[in-house]
Amino acid sequence: MSQDTKNVVTRFAPSPTGVLHIGSVRTALYSWLYARQNKGKFILRIEDTDKERSKKEYEENILDGLSWLGITHDEFYRQSERGDVYKRHLEKLIADGVAYVSKEEPALEGQRSTVIRFKNPGRTVTFRDEARGDISFDTTELGDFVIAKDFESPLYHFAVVVDDFEMGVTHIIRGDDAISNTPRQILIQEAIGAPRPIYAHLPMILAPDKSKLSKRHGALAVTEYREEGYLPEAILNFVALMGWNPGNDQEIISLDEMIKLFTLEKIQKGGAVFNIDKLKWLNKHYLKLFSLEKAGEEILARFPETLKIKAHSEAKIFKKIVPIIIDHITSFGEVRALAEAGEYEYFFEDPAYLKEKLLWKDEQDSEVAIQKLKKIALLISNIDDVLFASEAIKSAVWDYATEAGRGSVLWPMRYALSGRDKSPDPFTLADILGKETTIRRINSAIKTLEE
């Protein structure tokens, strides 16, 4: 490294012309990690000089997303509030003879407009990229490029260089789509007397088919992931490993570990592939670390109002089903859809039955099913109320089920308790529902078969 890492200053400089996406989060995260690792400074700068496309709601979305992820900044700026700084530098460049006011040919009939152009020395620019090595550009073909529409309207290449200089930015970590911007910016740096920062350009994030990543591949705004019940820890873990690795096969990596292990040299050169299944896997890992109390709060918040009322009134049952729900989801957002599809109603309300569903496969004799359900009811009625739990229930029924055929015994028992094709095993269900409700539902199923 050519600069003292003790004085590291990094920045994340999004334009508020759209919402915060995964690619931008990665840029922010890597910049934040490097600053924190070196006990430096991380700057958040909103680049809103494009007045027509910049929107306040996009800025709010960016700030909200970063805050939710825990990517905190040490300093905050808006380019729209720094007009005097840019004007001062523009005036000096013109006074130094390295920029000039140019009259432009009108695009349509009308008056000629004026812009401020940079006097390009037309030479080869070579810079060191920490992720890619030395990169060279011949800047001759750029000509005298525009750096401002007027003294009040600086363009991106000029404003970003001035800001990085004034804010003491030492390391610029950004997407590789900005590599082609670097030669212009280096020429401007030299003209205003700014030291050259260290660059690290990140590989593009690609869709699974190696095409450009888009929303149809699962790449949503960060706030949309939050609404879908993904956890910030999972998002950060997922993003960190798209374009960088800690040098081993470690998949689960905390923010503290990232700070210790992150290096610019281990940034990959090839494109990183967005894998929604990996994000879901990571999210499930972090979801399982939740306490049952906190997980219950998240689940309850996504229940429809009628189900929420039932869950409150049957708090003991709700507490028992929380770990079951957690086992069957990858994000809390799935709870809402499952609840609306009736997946949890049977825990709180006796189900209705389809007679044919109570019959096991080819066993179409209702009388056989009735006798088996009656036997189950008798066996579990002998369990002491205090001992009525899944293991005791299984112990009471298992020998009979083994003798008479497990499927033909356990299927009608499970369907009698849930009224659904898919549900937890009958012993777990009976444990959750309790002895009285379990026997009542089995008797209700018997009545359905007798009709």
Side-chain angles (χ1 to χ4, degrees), residues 21 51 110 114 125 188 195 197 209 228 278 312 320 362 381 407:
H21 283 284
K51 295 173 184 176
T114 59
V125 169
I188 297 170
D209 62 1
E228 289 201 2
K278 184 172 183 179
H312 277 301
K320 285 185 176 182
D362 297 329
S381 66

Side-chain angles (χ1 to χ4, degrees), residues 360-410:
W360 170 246
K361 291 187 176 179
D362 297 329
E363 293 183 1
Q364 297 302 307
D365 188 343
S366 296
E367 191 58 38
V368 172
I370 289 169
Q371 293 307 313
K372 288 177 178 175
L373 285 171
K374 283 183 176 179
K375 179 67 172 179
I376 293 167
L378 177 64
L379 290 169
I380 64 176
S381 66
N382 293 324
I383 302 172
D384 189 285
D385 290 4
V386 178
L387 302 175
F388 197 82
S390 57
E391 284 303 315
I393 299 161
K394 183 175 181 179
S395 179
V397 174
W398 194 252
D399 287 347
Y400 170 63
T402 302
E403 178 189 335
R406 288 177 192 168
S408 63
V409 171
L410 300 181

Side-chain angles (χ1 to χ4, degrees), residues 1 4-12 26-44 71-75 167-173 255 258-264:
M1 293 282 175
D4 186 355
T5 55
K6 291 181 180 178
N7 299 311
V8 163
V9 179
T10 65
R11 47 77 160 176
F12 175 52
R26 185 183 62 172
T27 301
L29 175 62
Y30 286 8
S31 301
W32 183 87
L33 288 174
Y34 196 73
R36 293 291 175 262
Q37 182 184 76
N38 292 287
K39 296 181 171 51
K41 187 190 299 180
F42 174 70
I43 293 171
L44 175 58
I71 300 177
T72 53
H73 53 267
D74 301 300
E75 294 179 6
M167 296 171 191
V169 172
T170 60
H171 293 71
I172 295 176
I173 302 169
L255 210 51
M258 291 180 211
I259 292 172
K260 291 176 184 175
L261 298 172
F262 183 77
T263 61
L264 299 177

